Amino acid sequence: MSRGLIIVDVQKDFCEGGSVPVAGGAQIAAAIAELVEQSADGDYQYVVATRDHHIDPGSHFSSNPDFKDSFPVHCVAGDEGGEFHPNFAPTVAGGKVHAVFFKGAHSASKSGFEGADSEGTSLADWLRARGVRDVDVVGIATDHCVRATALDAASAGFGTRVRLDYSVGVAPDTIASTLDDFRQAGIEVSGQASAPS
């Protein structure tokens, strides 16, 4: 039985200076890079990352966003904002991430389990093909794409844990409701949630 690490959307547009910034994103990007380096000795047999990769996601982009279902333009395929944050990008370039899953080309697609790698393989199929039974989920943002990815991981039958010390959320109220959702889904949670005060 092996454990995988799913790193969610550590991209420039979701960190300070991006089009949909989450306070603390750059710091989390660095912390996740350190986590991956420390885990090179076997904490995780497989490490994967997800990326928002929007081409034409319809109403997900809005000039009057509600920041729940619609957002300002972000992570457009081919644009700099969709690239991994510089604090994390060297980890990917250095081969420490085994696969990247792109999501949301033509939809909102918050969950990494809605994405596919460059060969068209879904995240669930990729993990199962390698015998992964349990996953840890980290990244940006706890109350949005980390939430969706973790809930889908549990629904797909993976033992799921969210490591809050390596995730950052948008707002205290939505983080609180997300933690309730995790408990109801049987998702383990470790660490302390962080969000702007």
Side-chain angles (χ1 to χ4, degrees):
M1 187 182 300
S2 60
R3 177 175 289 276
L5 176 65
I6 303 173
I7 301 164
V8 177
D9 297 1
V10 182
Q11 295 168 264
K12 291 181 180 180
D13 270 347
F14 296 136
C15 296
E16 293 85 347
S19 62
V20 190
V22 179
Q27 182 178 349
I28 284 297
I32 291 171
E34 185 175 341
L35 172 66
V36 174
E37 293 294 333
Q38 292 172 347
S39 300
D41 58 1
D43 287 354
Y44 298 106
Q45 283 72 29
Y46 296 100
V47 177
V48 301
T50 71
R51 276 177 61 171
D52 255 16
H53 188 72
H54 296 307
I55 296 171
D56 181 13
S59 61
H60 184 54
F61 284 173
S62 174
S63 56
N64 295 294
D66 62 15
F67 293 94
K68 180 181 177 183
D69 298 310
S70 60
F71 295 84
V73 174
H74 62 277
C75 297
V76 173
D79 284 359
E80 183 179 352
E83 299 298 320
F84 288 120
H85 190 274
N87 289 350
F88 175 65
T91 301
V92 180
K96 301 295 177 66
V97 173
H98 298 100
V100 176
F101 294 83
F102 298 89
K103 60 187 178 69
H106 299 283
S107 66
S109 202
K110 289 187 176 184
S111 169
F113 284 85
E114 297 175 283
D117 67 8
S118 59
E119 305 296 320
T121 304
S122 72
L123 177 52
D125 287 347
W126 193 97
L127 293 170
R128 290 190 184 111
R130 287 154 182 81
V132 175
R133 303 286 184 84
D134 300 294
V135 295
D136 284 357
V137 184
V138 300
I140 306 171
T142 307
D143 36 355
H144 288 276
C145 295
V146 170
R147 174 187 178 277
T149 300
L151 290 172
D152 277 359
S155 294
F158 295 95
T160 306
R161 175 174 63 179
V162 175
R163 299 187 66 174
L164 295 176
D165 289 349
Y166 296 95
S167 305
V168 63
V170 174
D173 58 339
T174 50
I175 291 173
S177 65
T178 291
L179 297 181
D180 286 339
D181 291 341
F182 289 163
R183 281 189 284 272
Q184 292 176 18
I187 294 170
E188 183 183 348
V189 174
S190 70
Q192 295 294 316
S194 62
S197 55

